[in-house]
Amino acid sequence: MNGCGLYVHVPFCDSKCGYCDFYSVALKGRSAGPLVTRTIQELGLRTLGGAAIETVFVGGGTPTVLPIDDFRRLFAALDGVVGAHAVVEFTVEANPATLDDQKLSVMTAAGVNRLSMGAQSWHVDELAALERLHSPDDIAPGVAMARRHGIGNINLDLIFGIPGQTVQRWAESLRRTIDLGVEHIACYGLTYEPGTRLTAQRAAGRVTPCDDGIETDMYGVALETLAQNGYGQYEISNFARAGGACRHNMMYWRNRSYIGVGPSAAGCVNRRRYKNVADVAGYIRRMDADGMAEAESEHLTREMFAGEMLLMQLRLTDGLDVTAFRQATGLETGSAFGGRLDDFAERGLLRITEDGIALTWAGTLAADWVIAELYAAMDLSGAESQHVASAIG
Amino acid sequence: MTDQRLIRNFGIIAHIDHGKSTLADRILERSGAISKREMREQFLDDMDLEREMGITIKANRATVRHVHKGEEYMLNLIDTPGHVDFHYEVSRAMAACEGVLLLVDASQGVQAQTVANAYIATDANLEIIPVINKIDILGAHPDEVALEVEQVLGLAADEALFVSGKTGQGIDELFAAICERIPAPGGDRAAPLRALIYDAKSDPHRGIICHVRMVDGCIKRGDAIHMMRGGSDQIVTEVGKCTPKPTPMPDLSAGEVGYVLAGIKTLADVNIGDTITHEKHGATDPLPGYKTPQQMVYCDFYPGPGTTTQGLREAMERLWLNDSSFTYGPTSSDALGVGFRCGFLGLLHMKIIQERLERESDVSLVQTAPTVTYEIVLRTGEVVTILSPSQMPDPSHIEEIREPFCRASVIIPVDCVGTLMTLALERRGTQTGTEYLSKTRVMLRFEFPLGEIIYDFYDKLKSITRGYGTVDYEVTGFRAGQLVKMDILVNAVPVDALSIIVHRDKALFRGRRLVSRLRKEIERHQFEIPIQAAIGGKIIARETIKGFRKNVTAKCYGGDVTRKRKLLEKQKEGKKRMKQVGMVSIPQEAFMAVLDPGDD
């Protein structure tokens, strides 16, 4: 039996960025204590089962904004989990400006061995457009501080396609990130998610999105520059030096089991998917009343699982694992997609080998469309979700 | 039994919104047929849809009593619809009358349907009483309107009545005029029974209600009757009058208007316009019937999400039993599955049928663009009627193509003549006459190809005349024209459902317009999509939909999976309602784009 991942969501930030659609609230003036208490409580319940936890990822929000006492309590609890399992990768998300020696010591003492930092850009105006609170000058010191504490695996997130960004300025941000010698770099095209401030600004005409031709060029520049510097692409937006791929995220992309803890966290264990209430007060209320705070859950049918394998694994450079697909679903890739695979291969969008089905460079640029077309071609009859529990208001 | 001398059968005809239903309500109320308490606005409009749209669709009727100069009269009021699409119902209702009240709005004056309805009444030899209505409202100029009526219709201005359906002013004089000026019905009560079925309605509890005008003889419960055209025999289970609620009576006799129940189950078993006589000692000659309404506008209905073909079929059958003015037959399409090709009298009629289907049977519909019918004369001399451009035979077999024409009267303010003439020219209209109604208003007569005006002519007219213009039309027949079939190719593949039949002179313009509309309706795909308009293989217009260069979402983690999968499911569902042509998905809206005549 393969191990599973553990995700802990800390829903607090100093302030919310305009493009962000993760659940988070500003911590200012609140007490984080009651939430941390319930999160530790859920962590205990969720890790009671037999599943072997292989990776831990603490994300948010910005976990490092927690007051030191709450931070200590959370990581002491996580230390307990790590001690009881063979955890190989323990990542915490951080903002370069919120790192300090005290918190780094707490983290490393608990076994944290990977840090993921939102650098996003090396240009003040671009960071302002993204409503980030840090400055480009915080990035290198943040990395250096982490290194001093012995963190050997660091990821920096970058965003391209920012309104007003040029290909040249993007290349500069890439260059300076590479120069820091981090193990992992994630390059995200700016996405206008429904319900975000950024999307509202675009609708109101106050923000003009980057031309999709220019964005394509930026993506191309990223692939080329990163490859030249030893960062191999392993997922649409993720690049790593040899052996540096994020094992925790691979759990998602390979459709493995993972436990989610905290408000809005999602988990999927043995094909049962759940999502917690995305509201701090609601989460606390449900934890106290029911001992759990799931807003929804469903059992994935074989066909639903096949659809999820398609949509997650095609994002990987290695593509959909044909053998795993057959074992997990009993379906053959050749017939499961209504014979459309060959259409896309002929158009140079897919690469089909005996082991895997993967997007080509052209296919990667059109990934959403290719996945939607293949998904629509799948015969999912009888794939209605079986709802076993639903939200209690 | 009412003395035949004291019966008056009359209708009210008017342009839409000239207050017909309100006046009918006032008549019912004044005669005591319904109490103030029962009085709902527009009592005779009993379909929800009619009440909502404020128009009368199916003709209704009521019988009221009125004492005039010491004698009690029986007044049979037959309400009629006002919209052009329902001409046939107006004619049918008039065949049951000896006279009509021609209602004209005192502020708006004579309008297109005032004229059209007055002509129908004249053709039917009815006594016409001009009634100038809404004299209480601001801007009313009843005397001028009475002069317009005289000018246009030759009905003496000094014989016009002035009323307000709203306040009741002038209603007493109106009752007097009905009694004095409309002739009593003829007919022989001793002669063999002849009753004209002028309308029929389906009632869920009582079966089919036949509304009849008694021409000769007498009918009562228990009579064995014979349908002279339909040929069936029935036993009468009830006769009565609408007062306006159906009220059983001992009998109905010549000159009267009422209803007959005879155990008939479905509307399909009744021919409207048929003559009822007795099985024994029956009449020998039936009364003249009606022309069956001619469906001129066709479109397809397909089952929408959540509706099955069978469910839609049952809904259509149910509605048809209640209203046989539309036709339907099975059809199928690669993209939309099995559905029905339906024929309508006009666009409003189509809209009403669609809404009634959705409302009364709770089905969802996907509707294709409406088209008119065409007659194709083949080289062999054979004439075929096609209901959609896709049925067009190969051009090498075609001798000529004929399209339906109509005669239209348009009444507009004088200062709008120039703009109207431009619109009429764009729509291939030929002017055939001009009459001045007054110094400020004029009536223009045109002949138009029906296909040029069914879609949006009315809206255009309203907009160029600031709402003052009105139009009425009547289909006159088919005429040969320089017509061609224009095909649309999407990504080099011809799409049947997007083909249109268009006049040669307008083909280039329409082609350009259409491909430009389609460019907006079809979403960008991952590749470039050419959209072309072609006539007989020759490309006359082209647009290109640019391909996306990038279409990939950056992030996808554990928390996004459900949302992402649901999005894909939604897209999959959405694709079902699109037509897939090769790798291109064409949305429903694109199929409606072919309607746009392209003048603005």
Side-chain angles (χ1 to χ4, degrees):
Chain A
M1 185 67 195
N2 287 321
C4 73
L6 166 66
Y7 176 75
V8 179
H9 190 78
V10 179
F12 298 117
C13 281
D14 280 329
S15 78
K16 179 122 180 142
C17 304
Y19 62 90
C20 174
D21 77 326
F22 289 105
Y23 172 64
S24 70
V25 290
L27 181 60
K28 206 169 68 182
R30 285 173 189 256
S31 161
L35 177 79
V36 170
T37 304
R38 279 27 168 234
T39 305
I40 293 169
Q41 203 180 321
E42 189 189 6
L43 182 65
L45 290 166
R46 295 264 185 214
T47 54
L48 269 182
I53 294 165
E54 229 172 68
T55 63
V56 178
F57 196 108
V58 181
T62 312
T64 44
V65 302
L66 282 178
I68 187 66
D69 290 345
D70 295 320
F71 195 78
R72 260 191 236 282
R73 279 203 295 144
L74 178 63
F75 279 84
L78 287 165
D79 188 20
V81 174
V82 173
H85 294 266
V87 170
V88 293
E89 182 189 275
F90 187 167
T91 308
V92 178
E93 278 185 338
N95 179 321
T98 59
L99 270 185
D100 59 46
D101 284 317
Q102 199 178 22
K103 280 177 184 161
L104 272 164
S105 305
V106 170
M107 288 192 272
T108 47
V112 171
N113 57 13
R114 186 172 183 271
L115 219 55
S116 176
M117 285 194 272
Q120 319 308 9
S121 165
W122 288 79
H123 299 283
V124 177
D125 54 336
E126 289 172 9
L127 288 172
L130 294 173
E131 305 182 17
R132 296 293 293 191
L133 291 181
H134 71 273
S135 116
D137 298 338
D138 294 329
I139 302 171
V143 169
M145 196 192 294
R147 292 291 192 214
R148 278 201 305 277
H149 284 265
I151 303 283
N153 190 348
I154 293 177
N155 165 61
L156 289 178
D157 284 347
L158 292 176
I159 292 181
F160 63 94
I162 302 167
Q165 194 178 30
T166 61
V167 176
Q168 198 187 350
R169 303 230 296 164
W170 165 241
E172 267 170 52
S173 281
L174 270 171
R175 183 74 258 158
R176 298 188 65 177
T177 307
I178 291 167
D179 287 346
L180 289 179
V182 291
E183 287 68 29
H184 191 285
I185 298 176
C187 298
Y188 297 117
L190 183 64
T191 309
Y192 293 78
E193 298 287 358
T196 59
R197 213 157 46 234
L198 182 70
T199 300
Q201 284 163 350
R202 181 184 63 174
R206 288 199 295 276
V207 163
T208 310
C210 186
D211 172 84
D212 75 337
I214 292 175
E215 222 183 299
T216 308
D217 293 344
M218 290 180 181
Y219 190 36
V221 165
L223 254 70
E224 202 174 313
T225 316
L226 290 167
Q228 281 165 3
N229 289 278
Y231 293 91
Q233 186 183 23
Y234 68 101
E235 194 262 356
I236 280 174
S237 305
N238 287 271
F239 304 81
R241 292 202 158 143
C246 176
R247 290 169 171 244
H248 180 81
N249 287 339
M250 285 301 286
M251 295 276 185
Y252 302 138
W253 296 321
R254 283 278 171 226
N255 306 88
R256 303 259 299 273
S257 288
Y258 50 93
I259 295 163
V261 171
S264 85
C268 185
V269 180
N270 297 328
R271 298 198 189 174
R272 176 183 171 275
R273 181 182 298 294
Y274 66 88
K275 189 174 194 307
N276 282 345
V277 176
D279 166 50
V280 172
Y283 174 83
I284 292 172
R285 206 161 48 234
R286 285 286 308 280
M287 282 305 293
D288 292 348
D290 311 329
M292 274 294 159
E294 291 182 6
E296 55 189 71
S297 80
E298 60 183 348
H299 274 288
L300 302 179
T301 62
R302 185 182 68 145
E303 287 80 3
M304 288 158 90
F305 195 70
E308 292 192 357
M309 285 188 90
L310 171 79
L311 90 90
M312 298 308 274
Q313 297 198 15
L314 265 194
R315 298 182 62 86
L316 294 170
T317 307
D318 288 343
L320 176 66
D321 183 332
V322 171
T323 314
F325 185 79
R326 187 185 303 123
Q327 282 168 358
T329 67
L331 298 169
E332 291 296 331
T333 45
S335 55
F337 305 105
R340 293 291 304 276
L341 288 179
D342 291 340
D343 278 0
F344 289 101
E346 274 167 35
R347 283 163 190 266
L349 300 167
L350 286 180
R351 196 158 21 85
I352 303 177
T353 63
E354 259 176 45
D355 311 329
I357 298 160
L359 294 166
T360 59
W361 161 241
T364 302
L365 288 177
D368 286 357
W369 177 69
V370 174
I371 291 169
E373 290 286 313
L374 289 176
Y375 194 94
M378 276 180 77
D379 180 16
L380 291 178
S381 49
E384 276 93 70
S385 100
Q386 301 152 14
H387 264 264
V388 290
S390 64
I392 298 162
Chain B
M1 189 180 295
T2 310
D3 186 339
Q4 206 164 325
R5 227 171 24 88
L6 300 177
I7 298 175
R8 297 292 178 269
N9 299 315
F10 68 102
I12 307 177
I13 54 177
H15 188 81
I16 194 158
D17 280 345
H18 279 200
K20 183 159 51 67
S21 298
T22 308
L23 182 68
D25 289 347
R26 198 61 54 230
I27 291 173
L28 292 187
E29 189 197 52
R30 187 62 66 91
S31 68
I34 49 172
S35 66
K36 264 239 156 60
R37 192 175 51 80
E38 286 176 303
M39 191 74 205
R40 293 177 297 176
E41 282 278 304
Q42 303 189 357
F43 194 91
L44 292 182
D45 291 350
D46 62 4
M47 263 181 354
D48 284 352
L49 202 57
E50 292 185 345
R51 222 173 269 281
E52 249 168 59
M53 298 175 84
I55 56 166
T56 305
I57 298 163
K58 294 275 290 175
N60 272 309
R61 72 292 300 160
T63 298
V64 298
R65 303 277 171 182
H66 176 72
V67 177
H68 178 66
K69 292 189 177 159
E71 287 187 293
E72 192 186 65
Y73 283 76
M74 175 203 276
L75 308 183
N76 293 312
L77 162 61
I78 292 151
D79 200 11
T80 61
H83 192 273
V84 286
D85 282 0
F86 303 100
H87 252 162
Y88 79 107
E89 290 224 16
V90 179
S91 328
R92 257 161 45 176
M94 284 189 194
C97 302
E98 275 75 41
V100 290
L101 308 180
L102 175 68
L103 210 58
V104 187
D105 183 305
S107 68
Q108 296 184 9
V110 171
Q111 298 292 350
Q113 284 147 43
T114 316
V115 179
N117 283 323
Y119 286 166
I120 299 175
T122 309
D123 286 348
N125 286 319
L126 302 187
E127 176 67 31
I128 302 174
I129 303 177
V131 179
I132 314 302
N133 190 26
K134 305 194 191 181
I135 55 170
D136 57 307
I137 65 170
L138 207 67
H141 41 92
D143 296 328
E144 283 171 47
V145 171
L147 281 172
E148 273 188 13
V149 173
E150 181 172 310
Q151 172 81 18
V152 184
L153 302 168
L155 300 166
D158 55 10
E159 288 182 9
L161 300 177
F162 299 94
V163 307
S164 163
K166 195 167 153 223
T167 64
Q169 191 183 347
I171 298 294
D172 292 335
E173 292 80 357
L174 181 66
F175 273 109
I178 292 167
C179 297
E180 288 170 12
R181 283 158 66 173
I182 293 176
D188 183 352
R189 288 184 171 182
L193 169 66
R194 289 202 298 174
L196 176 71
I197 303 176
Y198 72 88
D199 197 7
K201 251 189 155 170
S202 177
D203 181 289
H205 307 295
R206 317 180 75 191
I208 301 302
I209 301 173
C210 297
H211 292 283
V212 297
R213 163 65 197 267
M214 298 295 295
V215 176
D216 288 317
C218 186
I219 191 168
K220 60 182 189 307
R221 186 184 162 158
D223 284 359
I225 54 164
H226 174 71
M227 300 288 180
M228 295 186 74
R229 287 175 208 275
S232 64
D233 297 321
Q234 321 280 349
I235 302 291
V236 175
T237 57
E238 182 180 318
V239 300
K241 288 179 177 299
C242 297
T243 63
K245 292 186 192 95
T247 311
M249 307 290 273
D251 57 46
L252 294 173
S253 62
E256 291 184 74
V257 172
Y259 68 86
V260 172
L261 296 181
I264 305 168
K265 294 282 179 290
T266 70
L267 276 177
D269 301 329
V270 183
N271 297 320
I272 292 177
D274 206 341
T275 305
I276 298 176
T277 192
H278 282 124
E279 219 179 299
K280 286 183 184 149
H281 313 297
T284 46
D285 299 317
L287 299 160
Y290 299 107
K291 262 198 295 185
T292 354
Q294 187 67 47
Q295 286 75 28
M296 298 308 279
V297 176
Y298 281 79
C299 81
D300 295 346
F301 285 155
Y302 290 96
T307 297
T308 60
T309 304
Q310 184 56 27
L312 181 54
R313 179 193 307 281
E314 283 163 14
M316 309 257 305
E317 275 166 6
R318 226 172 0 251
L319 181 58
W320 192 84
L321 289 179
N322 187 263
D323 179 354
S324 55
S325 56
F326 73 102
T327 60
Y328 67 99
T331 188
S332 71
S333 126
D334 294 343
L336 301 164
V338 178
F340 300 92
R341 181 108 191 124
C342 305
F344 306 97
L345 306 168
L347 274 223
L348 179 73
H349 186 217
M350 178 178 84
K351 189 173 158 48
I352 284 164
I353 296 294
Q354 177 217 321
E355 284 200 13
R356 286 189 68 187
L357 275 173
E358 289 179 337
R359 210 176 275 224
E360 292 168 22
S361 295
D362 196 24
V363 293
S364 75
L365 298 173
V366 174
Q367 184 204 320
T368 61
T371 56
V372 297
T373 55
Y374 293 91
E375 280 183 2
I376 314 291
V377 184
L378 301 177
R379 294 219 192 276
T380 58
E382 192 191 342
V383 180
V384 291
T385 300
I386 62 164
L387 308 184
S388 87
S390 62
Q391 296 171 334
M392 180 82 102
D394 188 278
S396 63
H397 297 150
I398 296 175
E399 185 66 38
E400 67 179 30
I401 302 174
R402 296 175 183 161
E403 61 183 329
F405 266 72
C406 63
R407 207 165 21 226
S409 321
V410 185
I411 295 180
I412 53 164
V414 169
D415 63 347
C416 299
V417 168
T419 344
L420 176 71
M421 293 303 287
T422 312
L423 176 65
L425 264 177
E426 279 167 357
R427 301 302 177 87
R428 296 192 283 132
T430 321
Q431 197 187 348
T432 56
T434 310
E435 281 170 57
Y436 278 84
L437 274 62
S438 65
K439 279 200 188 98
T440 53
R441 299 197 323 132
V442 62
M443 176 162 75
L444 304 175
R445 295 177 192 278
F446 292 95
E447 285 179 339
F448 280 111
L450 182 63
E452 295 280 350
I453 66 163
I454 52 161
Y455 176 51
D456 67 342
F457 186 83
Y458 184 71
D459 294 339
K460 292 271 178 191
L461 177 71
K462 283 284 174 201
S463 106
I464 65 176
T465 59
R466 304 174 301 275
Y468 289 114
T470 55
V471 60
D472 189 90
Y473 64 84
E474 183 190 2
V475 176
T476 49
F478 285 83
R479 268 191 231 169
Q482 289 291 309
L483 300 169
V484 289
K485 180 183 170 207
M486 183 164 74
D487 294 313
I488 299 295
L489 292 82
V490 174
N491 209 21
V493 181
V495 183
D496 247 14
L498 290 175
S499 298
I500 54 172
I501 293 171
V502 61
H503 194 268
R504 192 174 287 283
D505 295 346
K506 293 182 74 180
L508 184 63
F509 181 72
R510 283 290 297 276
R512 281 185 187 151
R513 176 89 179 190
L514 184 49
V515 294
S516 131
R517 276 289 305 274
L518 289 173
R519 187 173 64 84
K520 292 184 194 114
E521 297 293 353
I522 298 174
E523 279 187 14
R524 283 172 75 185
H525 280 55
Q526 216 49 58
F527 43 85
E528 195 176 277
I529 305 168
I531 299 174
Q532 298 157 305
I535 293 172
K538 184 171 172 273
I539 305 296
I540 59 162
R542 179 193 161 110
E543 291 258 357
T544 306
I545 300 174
K546 249 174 64 180
F548 276 120
R549 284 195 59 194
K550 183 172 162 295
N551 180 15
V552 49
T553 310
K555 279 186 294 194
C556 185
Y557 295 116
D560 305 322
V561 188
T562 306
R563 193 175 63 166
K564 196 105 176 159
R565 196 189 63 232
K566 283 185 179 153
L567 179 70
L568 288 170
E569 263 151 32
K570 216 170 111 194
Q571 287 174 339
K572 181 176 181 150
E573 218 30 62
K575 275 176 86 77
K576 283 188 192 156
R577 290 170 67 193
M578 295 201 200
K579 188 176 168 74
Q580 196 70 27
V581 175
M583 294 284 256
V584 183
S585 306
I586 305 178
Q588 180 62 36
E589 291 71 30
F591 294 98
M592 296 307 277
V594 301
L595 281 174
D596 183 0
D599 42 32
D600 58 13

